[in-house]
Amino acid sequence: MEQEWDIFKEYGNRTSSFMSMYPGLEHIQIENGQARGITYGNRIVLATEPHCDEESRAQAIIDLKNSRNKKLCLFPIGEKLASVLGEKGFSVWQVGSEPIFELEDYFRTEPLDALPLGRTLKKRGAELVEIRTADLDIYRQELAALHDDWKRQKTFELGFLNQVDPFFKYDLKRWFILTVRGTIQAFMTAVPFCYNGQVLGYYFNDIIRSGKARAGTNELMIVEVMRLLHAEKIPEVRLGMAPLSRIEKKGPASAFLDFLFRRHRSVYNFSGHYRFKNKLNPTRWDNLYLASSGLGFLHSLKCVIKAHFPQGLWVLVQSIVARQWGKFLELKQGVLSMNRADKGEDLYFRSFKDYIWRTKWTHLSVIFFVVLH
């Protein structure tokens, strides 16, 4: 474990580098470093870029593919590595983008001026506090309860690089809580990304808020943590990938992913995730990619989905269908609103045919997942 952490400090300069050390990912030894991923059948899915020298990463991936004699997917990776792998015969697709906050530029103006809900919450007495690791036990029970409540609101438990476990390697993270009148409303952790033994910045990983917290809680907490890091001369903060966002349309694959971004809501609200990060006004957006050897687009996409849903794709499909059918039954009884009054539409489904029409994109997505399975 100590050697793994030393390698991370030397080469862990991607947002997902820290996350790749979470449980469930296999340690794969490569020359002068390591990679993390999962293997099933004749395929390897690598989580983020290998932990080795940047200039050696493409060759390390090629050597791994050849030595294991398996088809390989790699996700998510930056534009530089994606370009090199594309030249080496890999298929490469853009699958999202990531907001980057260069703090020196970010705080040339006041970020909360563009975030009225967060600004109002701060005026009402919300305060950010950093918790020292040595004092974490004082707050652990309350933070764990907030985390459990947050998980109960989620439909799916994700794996791979989307695991949410604040207390995993807790001593390597920085901890922050947002309080209002002494009550914890939200907390978050920040994990470092490093190169050549130097901390380059922080990735805001676990962001957990109480179900009773006021609107603007998360945006205020994020801005105030960035303000604290800026005071420490930390150069950069990242918020992780916004999947399927800002994809350049360069063919059928990118057009399909853009369609999912705009229309899909059943498993993941891609556009909502992007809008939240974008309203924080990042300094720039970096493109992120999926690279694959010997696999077409749909098979590569299936590998990524399967990696993130350890319970299996069939369970995912069943969950989607069950949730949509449950919504129909509730709406038929007049319990749920479609929140469409602002468009002048009826609030409730009038019939099963009306339900199918209004949720057609959801059902097409379900069919897509069934076909992948």
Side-chain angles (χ1 to χ4, degrees):
M1 185 63 70
E2 189 66 31
Q3 181 185 13
E4 182 181 55
W5 177 242
D6 289 340
I7 292 175
F8 167 78
K9 288 191 293 184
E10 194 67 21
Y11 303 119
N13 63 336
R14 302 302 304 173
T15 298
S16 301
S17 295
F18 190 97
M19 297 299 298
S20 70
M21 295 191 291
Y22 270 51
L25 279 76
E26 173 189 354
H27 177 117
I28 302 172
Q29 192 66 39
I30 60 175
E31 186 175 354
N32 298 321
Q34 64 180 9
R36 302 279 291 178
I38 61 173
T39 302
Y40 54 90
N42 68 335
R43 299 172 187 181
I44 300 174
V45 183
L46 290 185
T48 199
E49 300 183 10
H51 291 172
C52 64
D53 182 78
E54 278 195 304
E55 303 305 320
S56 304
R57 289 177 182 177
Q59 191 59 48
I61 292 165
I62 294 169
D63 291 344
L64 175 63
K65 175 181 72 73
N66 294 337
S67 64
R68 296 288 186 98
N69 194 27
K70 293 179 182 290
K71 296 177 180 179
L72 188 148
C73 285
L74 181 66
F75 163 90
I77 61 175
E79 192 161 8
K80 179 180 177 181
L81 180 58
S83 176
V84 175
L85 289 177
E87 295 171 357
K88 300 288 187 180
F90 279 64
S91 298
V92 177
W93 305 274
Q94 186 191 352
V95 288
S97 57
E98 178 179 25
I100 309 297
F101 298 81
E102 296 173 346
L103 298 185
E104 188 64 34
D105 288 339
Y106 189 66
F107 284 100
R108 292 188 190 279
T109 58
E110 174 49 59
L112 290 178
D113 286 346
L115 301 168
L117 293 176
R119 184 174 67 247
T120 300
L121 189 60
K122 186 174 182 179
K123 289 180 178 178
R124 290 181 175 179
E127 296 182 322
L128 181 83
V129 178
E130 181 170 8
I131 307 172
R132 296 187 307 168
T133 304
D135 299 329
L136 186 59
D137 284 344
I138 300 173
Y139 301 92
R140 183 184 288 264
Q141 186 173 354
E142 189 171 358
L143 298 183
L146 275 179
H147 180 221
D148 290 341
D149 181 60
W150 178 87
K151 285 198 298 184
R152 282 191 290 270
Q153 301 172 40
K154 302 301 176 183
T155 306
F156 305 105
E157 183 108 12
L158 294 175
F160 204 58
L161 294 174
N162 285 64
Q163 299 180 61
V164 180
D165 185 358
F167 295 100
F168 177 75
K169 294 186 181 291
Y170 69 92
D171 55 327
L172 304 180
K173 301 176 178 179
R174 294 181 66 170
W175 291 74
F176 305 90
I177 60 174
L178 190 78
T179 64
V180 177
R181 299 185 183 90
T183 301
I184 297 177
Q185 299 295 307
F187 75 93
M188 61 178 283
T189 65
V191 299
F193 48 93
C194 313
Y195 201 70
N196 292 332
Q198 299 294 316
V199 173
L200 304 180
Y202 284 89
Y203 162 45
F204 292 176
N205 179 24
D206 308 301
I207 302 176
I208 310 294
R209 56 168 281 180
S210 165
K212 299 177 182 178
R214 289 180 177 271
T217 295
N218 280 352
E219 60 192 51
L220 174 62
M221 182 168 59
I222 290 170
V223 168
E224 292 305 296
V225 174
M226 285 198 288
R227 195 187 308 278
L228 185 153
L229 296 177
H230 177 237
E232 298 176 4
K233 306 299 183 183
I234 298 297
E236 187 175 294
V237 160
R238 302 174 186 173
L239 291 188
M241 184 171 73
L244 310 189
S245 67
R246 305 171 74 93
I247 288 181
E248 301 173 10
K249 296 179 183 178
K250 293 183 177 179
S254 58
F256 173 70
L257 292 178
D258 181 66
F259 166 79
L260 288 181
F261 173 77
R262 290 182 288 106
R263 295 289 187 175
H264 190 61
R265 299 290 187 278
S266 292
V267 180
Y268 193 90
N269 187 355
F270 296 106
S271 58
H273 188 178
Y274 166 73
R275 285 195 300 272
F276 172 76
K277 293 183 176 182
N278 193 48
K279 75 177 179 178
L280 294 167
N281 296 313
T283 311
R284 70 176 195 271
W285 287 84
D286 285 356
N287 293 339
L288 294 175
Y289 297 85
L290 162 67
S292 176
S293 68
L295 292 172
F297 170 68
L298 289 180
H299 282 96
S300 299
L301 190 60
K302 179 181 177 181
C303 286
V304 172
I305 295 170
K306 187 172 182 179
H308 282 87
F309 289 93
Q311 69 270 48
L313 293 183
W314 181 237
V315 174
L316 170 63
V317 170
Q318 289 177 308
S319 299
I320 295 171
V321 172
R323 185 169 68 164
Q324 293 304 314
W325 180 249
K327 283 184 179 180
F328 167 69
L329 294 179
E330 291 176 343
L331 286 163
K332 187 177 181 181
Q333 297 166 11
V335 177
L336 284 180
S337 164
M338 286 298 291
N339 295 322
R340 297 195 175 189
D342 57 330
K343 297 182 181 179
E345 300 181 28
D346 293 336
L347 289 178
Y348 306 111
F349 292 136
R350 295 184 295 273
S351 65
F352 184 72
K353 181 179 179 181
D354 185 41
Y355 160 71
I356 291 294
W357 173 249
R358 290 192 184 186
T359 60
K360 55 184 177 296
W361 300 120
T362 294
H363 286 85
L364 286 173
S365 298
V366 170
I367 293 171
F368 168 71
F369 281 114
V370 170
V371 171
L372 276 185
H373 177 73

